């Protein structure tokens, strides 16, 4: 399965998880704000609404939007807020492009699978969390996992002596989460299968030229144009 999409493509270095240690999952639409530092600076939002999960970069208004109303036939969209456009992918597109999708992995930042590959260790930072550490695919990981949210609060990686970390900071309120999904739903949409027939469209031509959209083994790209799921297991 292809895992660890934006997670490992936008890694940071930052503070402790002590200040954000939730003891329950919000009951309505909700999100988590992650602060990124180190090689990549900025903010990343994880947004959840029923069967929908999105990763949103507010700096460039690019989102990865997954819908699992039918878990066996997920839908995916690349969202471009500045242009008010989105490109939709369906199960046939994902299958043709060789992308394997797990709802549990998308909803956990692909860290659920990673957690199972690490060793549980003692920690005192957060009573509602579990700590994990270990080596996986030549990377050393340290993770603080929220048992309430089923998400990482921190994830630290060490590669050839270089340490990076990303940090959960706070919840995103329900109204903001709802607003994002409503906006994206209203954007002008193009089916991925039709992109090749619409290269005269300036927006699509730009996306193709920048590598955000191409007919390759990858159906989706992160906010920097790197293919989602470049970690194969």
């Amino acid at each position: 399965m292809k895992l660890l999409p934006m997670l490992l493509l936008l890694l940071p270095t930052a503070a402790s998880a002590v200040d954000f240690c939730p003891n329950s999952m919000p009951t309505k639409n909700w999100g988590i704000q992650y602060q990124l530092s180190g090689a990549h600076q900025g903010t990343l939002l994880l947004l959840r609404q029923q069967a929908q999960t999105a990763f949103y970069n507010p700096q460039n208004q690019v989102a990865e939007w997954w819908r699992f109303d039918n878990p066996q036939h997920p839908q995916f969209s690349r969202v471009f807020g500045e242009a008010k456009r989105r490109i939709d992918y369906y199960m046939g597109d994902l299958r043709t492009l060789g992308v394997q999708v797990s709802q549990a992995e998308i909803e956990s930042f692909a860290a659920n699978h990673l957690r199972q590959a690490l060793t549980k260790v003692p920690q005192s930072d957060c009573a509602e969390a579990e700590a994990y550490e270990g080596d996986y695919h030549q990377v050393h990981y340290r993770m603080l996992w929220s048992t309430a949210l089923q998400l990482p609060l921190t994830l630290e990686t060490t590669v050839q002596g270089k340490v990076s970390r990303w940090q959960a900071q706070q919840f995103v309120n329900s109204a903001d989460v709802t607003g994002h999904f409503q906006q994206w739903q209203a954007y002008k949409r193009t089916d991925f299968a039709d992109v090749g027939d619409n290269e005269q469209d300036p927006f699509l031509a730009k996306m193709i030229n920048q590598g955000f959209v191409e007919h390759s083994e990858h159906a989706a790209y992160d906010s920097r144009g790197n293919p989602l799921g470049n970690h194969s297991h």
Side-chain angles (χ1 to χ4, degrees), residues 4-5 7 34 44 46 55 105-111 151-152 166:
L4 303 178
L7 172 66
Y34 290 93
L44 183 67
L46 165 69
F55 307 102
E105 295 304 327
I106 294 295
E107 291 180 346
S108 70
F109 264 20
L151 285 168
W166 56 273

Side-chain angles (χ1 to χ4, degrees), residues 2-225:
K2 298 178 179 181
L3 305 173
L4 303 178
M6 295 183 82
L7 172 66
L8 297 184
L9 297 171
L10 294 173
L11 283 170
T13 36
S16 162
V18 176
D19 294 337
F20 183 68
C21 181
N23 57 17
S24 64
M25 182 183 292
T27 56
K28 300 180 66 175
N29 305 340
W30 60 282
I32 300 292
Q33 176 179 307
Y34 290 93
Q35 186 64 40
L36 312 180
S37 59
H40 303 290
Q41 305 287 331
T43 302
L44 183 67
L45 305 183
L46 165 69
L47 307 176
R48 295 276 296 276
Q49 178 174 289
Q50 297 177 335
Q52 302 178 85
T53 297
F55 307 102
Y56 178 56
N57 182 330
Q59 286 78 39
N60 60 14
Q61 301 180 56
V62 171
E64 310 286 348
W65 179 20
W66 295 89
R67 279 92 73 202
F68 292 97
D69 299 284
N70 181 345
Q72 302 304 315
H73 294 84
Q75 298 178 33
F76 169 77
S77 295
R78 290 268 309 146
V79 179
F80 303 88
E82 186 174 338
K84 293 183 170 52
R85 298 284 297 268
R86 76 176 205 253
I87 299 173
D88 291 349
Y89 301 76
Y90 298 93
M91 187 60 195
D93 301 319
L94 300 177
R95 186 183 296 113
T96 299
L97 296 167
V99 174
Q100 300 179 37
V101 180
S102 162
Q103 182 175 1
E105 295 304 327
I106 294 295
E107 291 180 346
S108 70
F109 264 20
N112 186 51
H113 182 273
L114 173 64
R115 177 173 64 100
Q116 298 173 25
L118 304 179
T119 301
K120 190 175 180 179
V121 297
Q123 64 88 21
S124 58
D125 286 344
C126 175
E128 306 297 332
E130 298 172 342
Y132 295 86
E133 186 170 0
D135 295 326
Y136 188 60
H137 284 225
Q138 300 181 321
V139 178
H140 186 75
Y141 291 92
R142 295 179 62 194
M143 178 168 64
L144 190 62
W145 173 266
S146 170
T147 54
L149 302 180
Q150 293 294 292
L151 285 168
L153 297 178
T154 60
L155 179 67
E156 182 180 282
T157 67
T158 303
V159 182
Q160 296 181 342
K162 295 182 179 180
V163 180
S164 299
R165 181 190 293 195
W166 56 273
Q167 177 74 50
Q169 289 195 316
Q170 62 187 17
F171 284 117
V172 179
N173 71 60
S174 177
D176 287 345
V177 174
T178 300
H180 284 305
F181 285 118
Q182 288 178 341
Q183 284 182 344
W184 301 340
Q185 189 66 47
Y187 285 172
K188 180 179 179 181
R189 56 178 294 277
T190 302
D191 287 349
F192 173 73
D194 297 332
V195 169
D197 298 327
N198 290 277
E199 294 187 17
Q200 73 281 4
D201 182 316
F203 166 75
L204 295 177
K206 179 181 178 181
M207 292 300 100
I208 293 169
N209 290 336
Q210 291 183 350
F212 281 90
V213 181
E214 64 179 66
H215 292 274
S216 72
E217 64 173 6
H218 299 287
Y221 295 79
D222 73 10
S223 57
R224 297 178 183 275

